[in-house]
């Protein structure tokens, strides 16, 4: 674990020299730019000023000089995609940051608790059964929560569940649900449901609608709010289990509150956008390099960066080619080299030290 | 009880265009073919059509059976509904043969895909079974498949007749379509999947072939193969006509008409969204019924140019191909009048009393 400890300590040590307000302004500016860009780019040609005017027309009197289809594209296709990508990106990055703090391990991602394989199984099963819309979302969410409940029940020994046991149980439950996803794919119709399941599993916002936004938003926002409320306790938990107990923290309870919050976010994200890996793993690292490990700064920074990142990735996915590129492919292609570079840099520092 | 004809002839090897043996039955082994198993999804329907009977088919892919049950083939050949359909299981896309079930069925030949790698053929070969390999996806392969089935069924004349029908219809349609000015050509999109997400057929697909054959322009031709797109891209292409696949059973034009965005697309505004028909097999992929599909599409796009009596064509061709005279409701069901009935121009396909007629 020396490498992992080194990464953690490096991240803790790496604090920005910029004043806080400048950092906050920077990430807020980045997010705004990413959102506006995402609203203006796409395969359907709409000039950016027209896209802005369409958006503005919802809150201010603007003389329309656009077609009905222009308006539909901006308001019904791009706007919900922007909101959904922002929500999911922010939620996943915040979950990753919180979990990495709780586990004191920078290699932890929201997938570690088996929630996303569980949600993936629920969604795949729903597609196999011919369900879509609310049924698909409901099935994914329900199975995500079921996976977390399984982890909770199996990891609890003598009334306690320590971190190692939780991670190992999460891996076991995740493997079980991954196998069940394979089973669903095995049973699926290669003409219709199999390609649908495969594409959905790779992650996409192509089916984003305001309905999906309204379904996902409460869960993601509630999860994010809970994580935010737990920011001080996560800081204490990141000191280590014994220290946290010595400081009077109800370690088990607080840990499970964070898990429940991240499960809510992960389940809702998978249900509306499929499985999007790497965001919860890579973005918290970038955020930590900017503001350090204090959750009070780390959580909002990670959220803003995560939202901006996923907006960028989604813009690429839908506008780069006529065919929609699965998000999971892009996040992995970008995330894996970044993560590898980070690992090498840390290892080099460790050797030199 | 199965009717078992004796075909005391030796089958010559039919070579595929790549030179691989399509029909590996040993020349010395000239036992008659009485038991056939088919793994590629369309091959069961194609074999029944060429043979004019379901008696010699002893095993098929489960999805072949669902196509038979969904379309009219199950009504034409009720015995096809009870053929063993557990001969394929596993593998990335479900075409790995279940050799033990096949061994139990003791087929004289097993038809398998010839273009999806050797992994799904080797188990058959290793078990000592004769295999016939079928390639798929182009008009030439569709014709090769008919030839292959004709060889297996011992009915090469029937296969040749079906190929001649394709040739005649394609030539006639292509000649009329070629004379059409470019500005008249309608933009068409074929949605290979639409229930969850959108997948279109780009260039190098069979749908691209028949859209171009009838004088249409495949709006998705900038893509190659079947690929996922988003609704925005579909709006950008602004197709005049949207064709919905016949594979997703629950999919109907309502999917487009009720979509907040796509309902504003030209094809939806003009109610030109059609679900592909299903007869002895689905009309969208390559099969023995494609000439009917071409006539259907040609007439939908350019009714002033192509004046087929499609109901009559269906009735006559079914009598020749299957030895079955379809009822009015059979033809309604083939043309999916229940879901396409209120689409633009679809009234030309409604109830005209069937009459006996000429051969295809």
């Amino acid at each position: 674990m020396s490498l992992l400890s080194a990464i953690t300590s490096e991240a803790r040590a790496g604090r920005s020299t910029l004043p806080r307000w400048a950092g906050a302004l920077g990430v807020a500016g980045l997010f705004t730019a990413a959102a506006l860009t995402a609203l203006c780019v796409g395969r359907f040609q709409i000039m950016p000023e027209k896209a802005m005017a369409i958006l503005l027309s919802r809150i201010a009197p603007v003389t329309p000089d656009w077609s009905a289809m222009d308006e539909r594209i901006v308001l019904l296709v791009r706007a919900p995609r922007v909101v959904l990508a922002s929500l999911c990106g922010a939620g996943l990055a915040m979950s990753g940051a919180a979990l990495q703090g709780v586990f004191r391990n920078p290699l932890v991602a929201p997938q570690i608790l088996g929630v996303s394989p569980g949600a993936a199984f629920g969604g795949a099963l729903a597609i196999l059964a011919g369900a879509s819309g609310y049924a698909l979302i409901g099935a994914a969410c329900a199975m995500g929560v079921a996976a977390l409940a399984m982890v909770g029940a199996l990891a609890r020994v003598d009334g306690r569940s320590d971190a190692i046991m939780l991670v190992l149980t999460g891996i076991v439950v995740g493997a079980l649900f991954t196998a069940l996803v394979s089973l669903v794919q095995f049973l699926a119709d290669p003409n219709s449901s199999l390609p649908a399941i495969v594409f959905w599993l790779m992650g996409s916002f192509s089916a984003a609608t305001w309905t999906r936004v309204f379904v996902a938003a409460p869960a993601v926002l509630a999860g994010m709010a809970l994580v935010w409320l737990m920011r001080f306790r996560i800081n204490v938990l990141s000191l280590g289990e014994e220290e946290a107990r010595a400081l009077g923290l109800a370690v088990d309870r607080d840990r499970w509150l964070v898990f429940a919050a991240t499960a809510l976010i992960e389940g809702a994200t998978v249900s509306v956008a499929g499985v999007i890996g790497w965001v919860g793993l890579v973005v918290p690292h970038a955020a930590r390099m900017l503001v350090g490990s204090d959750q009070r700064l780390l959580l909002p920074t990670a959220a803003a960066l995560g939202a901006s990142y996923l907006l960028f990735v989604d813009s690429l996915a839908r506008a780069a080619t006529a065919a929609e590129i699965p998000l999971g492919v892009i996040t992995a292609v970008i995330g894996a080299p970044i993560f590898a570079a980070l690992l090498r840099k840390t290892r080099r520092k460790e050797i030199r030290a | 009880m199965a009717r078992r004809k004796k075909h005391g002839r030796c089958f010559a090897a039919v070579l595929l265009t790549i030179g691989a043996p399509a029909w590996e039955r040993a020349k010395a082994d000239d036992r008659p073919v009485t038991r056939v198993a088919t793994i590629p999804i369309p091959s069961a329907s194609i074999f029944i059509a060429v043979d004019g009977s379901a008696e010699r088919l002893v095993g098929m892919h489960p999805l072949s059976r669902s196509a038979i049950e969904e379309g009219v083939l199950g009504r034409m050949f009720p015995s096809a509904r009870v053929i063993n359909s557990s001969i394929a299981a596993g593998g990335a896309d479900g075409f790995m043969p279940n050799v033990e079930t096949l061994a139990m069925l003791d087929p004289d030949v097993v038809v398998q895909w010839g273009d999806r790698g050797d992994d799904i053929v080797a188990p058959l070969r290793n078990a000592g079974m004769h295999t016939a390999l079928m390639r798929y996806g182009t008009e030439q392969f569709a014709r090769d498949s008919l030839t292959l089935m004709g060889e297996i069924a011992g009915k090469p004349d029937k296969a040749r007749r079906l190929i001649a029908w394709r040739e005649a219809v394609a030539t006639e349609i292509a000649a009329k379509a070629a004379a059409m000015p470019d500005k008249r050509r309608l933009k068409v999109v074929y949605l290979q999947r639409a229930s969850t997400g959108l997948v279109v057929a780009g260039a190098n697909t069979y749908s691209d072939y028949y859209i171009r054959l009838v004088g249409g322009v495949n709006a998705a031709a900038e893509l190659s193969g079947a690929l996922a797109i988003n609704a925005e891209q579909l709006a950008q292409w602004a197709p005049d006509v949207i064709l919905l696949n016949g594979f997703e059973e629950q999919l109907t034009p309502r999917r487009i008409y009720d979509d907040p965005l796509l309902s504003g697309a030209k094809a939806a505004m003009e109610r030109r969204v059609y679900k592909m028909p299903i007869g002895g097999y689905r009309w969208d992929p390559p099969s023995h019924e494609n000439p009917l599909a071409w006539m259907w599409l040609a007439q939908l796009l350019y009714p002033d140019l192509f004046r087929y009596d499609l109901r009559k064509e269906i009735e006559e061709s079914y009598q020749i191909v299957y030895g079955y005279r379809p009822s009015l409701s059979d033809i309604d069901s083939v043309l999916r009048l229940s879901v396409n009935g209120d689409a633009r121009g679809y009234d030309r396909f409604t109830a005209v009393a069937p009459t006996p007629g000429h051969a295809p």
Side-chain angles (χ1 to χ4, degrees):
Chain A
M1 292 291 284
S2 59
L3 175 63
L4 306 185
S5 316
I7 295 171
T8 313
S9 49
E10 183 225 25
R12 280 188 188 136
R15 287 182 190 284
S16 169
T17 50
L18 287 172
R20 278 185 189 182
W21 64 266
L25 208 63
V27 288
L30 180 70
F31 169 65
T32 310
L36 292 179
T37 308
L39 208 64
C40 295
V41 302
R43 300 296 299 178
F44 193 88
Q45 287 155 11
I46 304 172
M47 294 306 286
E49 60 270 23
K50 201 174 271 184
M52 290 296 129
I54 292 169
L55 202 63
L56 202 64
S57 71
R58 310 307 288 180
I59 49 169
V62 178
T63 315
D65 66 334
W66 51 80
S67 70
M69 186 53 90
D70 289 344
E71 192 169 311
R72 285 179 196 225
I73 294 286
V74 173
L75 298 178
L76 298 177
V77 177
R78 292 186 192 165
R81 260 185 110 135
V82 166
V83 175
L84 207 56
S86 308
L87 272 174
C88 293
L92 289 172
M94 209 164 165
S95 303
L99 288 175
Q100 288 171 9
V102 169
F103 282 106
R104 306 177 68 213
N105 186 330
L107 292 180
V108 166
Q111 285 91 335
I112 201 78
L113 292 171
V115 176
S116 63
F121 169 63
L125 200 62
I127 297 174
L128 181 71
S132 56
Y134 286 117
L136 193 156
I137 293 169
C141 260
M143 291 311 293
V145 171
L148 183 72
M150 273 176 77
V151 172
L154 292 171
R156 204 165 181 81
V157 181
D158 291 339
R160 283 183 58 176
S161 47
D162 64 42
I164 298 288
M165 192 63 188
L166 275 167
V167 170
L168 292 177
T169 314
I171 290 170
V172 170
V173 170
L176 173 71
F177 279 105
T178 304
L180 290 174
V181 168
S182 299
L183 180 67
V184 171
Q185 287 180 278
F186 172 76
L187 296 171
D189 180 342
N191 282 320
S192 53
S193 52
L194 181 62
I197 291 170
V198 170
F199 189 76
W200 182 78
L201 286 174
M202 288 192 285
S204 173
F205 288 112
S206 62
T209 56
W210 285 115
T211 311
R212 286 194 170 205
V213 171
F214 295 133
V215 167
V220 175
L221 291 175
M224 287 170 70
L226 186 53
V227 170
W228 176 245
L229 290 174
M230 298 292 291
R231 61 196 183 281
F232 296 106
R233 291 169 186 271
I234 299 171
N235 272 342
V236 178
L237 283 169
S238 67
L239 296 172
E241 197 167 330
E242 296 310 318
E243 287 87 337
R245 278 187 210 285
L247 288 167
L249 213 64
V251 172
D252 259 11
R253 186 203 65 190
D254 291 345
R255 204 188 261 153
W256 276 102
L257 278 173
V258 176
F259 293 164
T262 56
L264 208 57
I265 294 168
E266 183 74 10
T269 303
V270 173
S271 65
V272 292
V275 181
I276 305 168
W278 292 92
V279 177
L281 183 60
V282 173
V283 174
H285 282 283
R288 215 177 285 117
M289 287 166 82
L290 283 175
V291 298
S293 293
D294 184 346
Q295 295 284 324
R296 291 172 301 172
L297 281 173
L298 180 63
L299 291 175
T301 309
L305 280 182
S308 311
Y309 178 60
L310 214 47
L311 278 169
F312 166 71
V313 168
D314 185 48
S315 301
L316 201 64
R318 66 190 164 83
T321 67
E324 181 97 12
I325 307 169
L327 285 181
V329 174
I330 305 178
T331 53
V333 166
I334 297 175
I338 290 176
F339 200 70
L342 197 80
L343 279 177
R344 283 177 62 82
K345 188 179 155 196
T346 311
R347 178 69 180 152
R348 196 172 292 129
K349 276 189 181 171
E350 190 188 40
I351 292 168
R352 283 175 189 162
Chain B
M1 187 180 164
R3 181 169 54 92
R4 304 208 171 164
K5 288 185 178 177
K6 297 285 179 187
H7 300 276
R9 57 163 296 180
C10 171
F11 290 101
V14 176
L15 299 182
L16 285 179
T17 47
I18 54 167
W23 172 226
E24 293 181 341
R25 190 178 171 83
K27 284 184 182 177
D29 183 2
D30 61 353
R31 280 187 297 113
V33 172
T34 58
R35 301 176 70 78
V36 176
T38 57
I39 296 175
I41 301 165
S43 56
S45 298
I46 299 175
F47 181 78
I48 292 172
V50 173
D51 196 28
S53 153
E55 301 306 317
R56 286 195 277 175
L57 198 59
V58 295
M60 64 167 107
H61 194 278
L63 293 172
S64 303
R65 195 155 101 182
S66 64
I68 286 168
E69 286 169 353
E70 192 190 335
V72 291
L73 205 64
R75 267 176 266 166
M76 295 193 272
F77 301 99
S79 62
R81 291 169 175 267
V82 293
I83 293 169
N84 189 317
S85 60
S86 56
I87 60 168
D93 57 1
F95 297 110
M96 183 60 76
N98 185 329
V99 175
E100 300 206 8
T101 306
L102 278 166
M104 202 177 66
L105 294 171
D106 190 26
D108 297 315
V109 60
V110 182
V111 182
Q112 178 59 294
W113 294 112
D115 50 6
R116 298 190 181 214
D118 194 50
D119 281 359
I120 56 171
V121 181
L124 298 167
R125 206 170 44 233
N126 295 341
M129 292 177 191
H130 296 303
T131 57
L133 303 184
M134 174 177 156
R135 291 204 291 169
Y136 190 68
T138 67
E139 175 57 13
Q140 186 55 51
F141 290 159
R143 294 180 186 197
D144 291 347
S145 297
L146 287 167
T147 305
L148 179 65
M149 296 302 181
E151 292 290 341
I152 295 169
K155 295 184 175 172
D157 290 344
K158 177 79 172 282
R160 276 196 285 273
R161 203 171 177 190
L162 289 170
I163 292 169
W165 181 36
R166 300 179 83 86
E167 181 64 37
V169 175
T171 305
E172 182 188 294
I173 290 178
K176 283 186 180 173
M180 200 187 320
D182 282 351
K183 62 180 180 186
R184 272 207 67 195
R185 294 180 189 274
L186 297 175
K187 281 197 285 181
V188 183
V189 161
Y190 169 77
L191 291 178
Q192 188 158 318
R193 186 159 59 73
S195 287
T196 309
L198 300 170
V199 172
V200 289
N204 305 317
T205 60
Y206 195 66
S207 303
D208 179 71
Y209 164 75
Y210 54 75
I211 289 170
R212 286 187 292 110
L213 175 74
V214 303
V217 173
N218 181 6
E222 66 182 280
L223 299 173
S224 183
L227 287 168
I229 59 153
N230 53 50
E232 189 174 333
Q233 179 62 68
L234 192 60
Q236 174 67 25
W237 284 329
D240 300 292
V241 172
I242 295 175
L243 300 175
L244 302 178
N245 71 75
F247 291 101
E248 293 172 300
E249 208 175 333
Q250 306 302 320
L251 176 68
T252 71
R254 291 242 67 84
R255 158 75 179 87
I256 305 296
Y257 297 141
D258 291 346
D259 186 290
L261 172 72
L262 297 177
S263 57
K266 192 178 175 194
M269 302 276 270
E270 296 180 358
R271 295 198 79 79
R272 299 188 85 171
V273 180
Y274 309 98
K275 185 168 174 75
M276 297 290 292
I278 178 169
Y281 190 62
R282 298 180 178 100
W283 280 13
D284 21 354
S287 81
H288 53 288
E289 284 197 26
N290 292 134
L292 294 171
W294 305 335
M295 289 185 230
W296 172 80
L297 184 60
Q299 209 173 3
L300 270 184
L301 300 190
Y302 311 108
D304 55 327
L305 199 59
F306 299 100
R307 296 171 186 275
Y308 296 108
D309 182 345
L310 193 64
R311 297 184 71 100
K312 195 172 165 189
E313 295 282 353
I314 293 171
E315 188 201 349
E316 290 172 356
S317 58
Y318 278 22
Q319 286 181 78
I320 300 293
V321 176
Y322 305 111
Y324 175 86
R325 182 173 177 152
S327 65
L328 285 174
S329 68
D330 283 338
I331 299 176
D332 287 352
S333 148
V334 168
L335 294 167
R336 299 195 198 261
L337 279 180
S338 59
V339 294
N340 287 335
D342 59 351
R344 183 173 150 189
Y346 219 77
D347 52 351
R348 68 176 59 92
F349 298 131
T350 51
V352 176
T355 51
H358 60 272

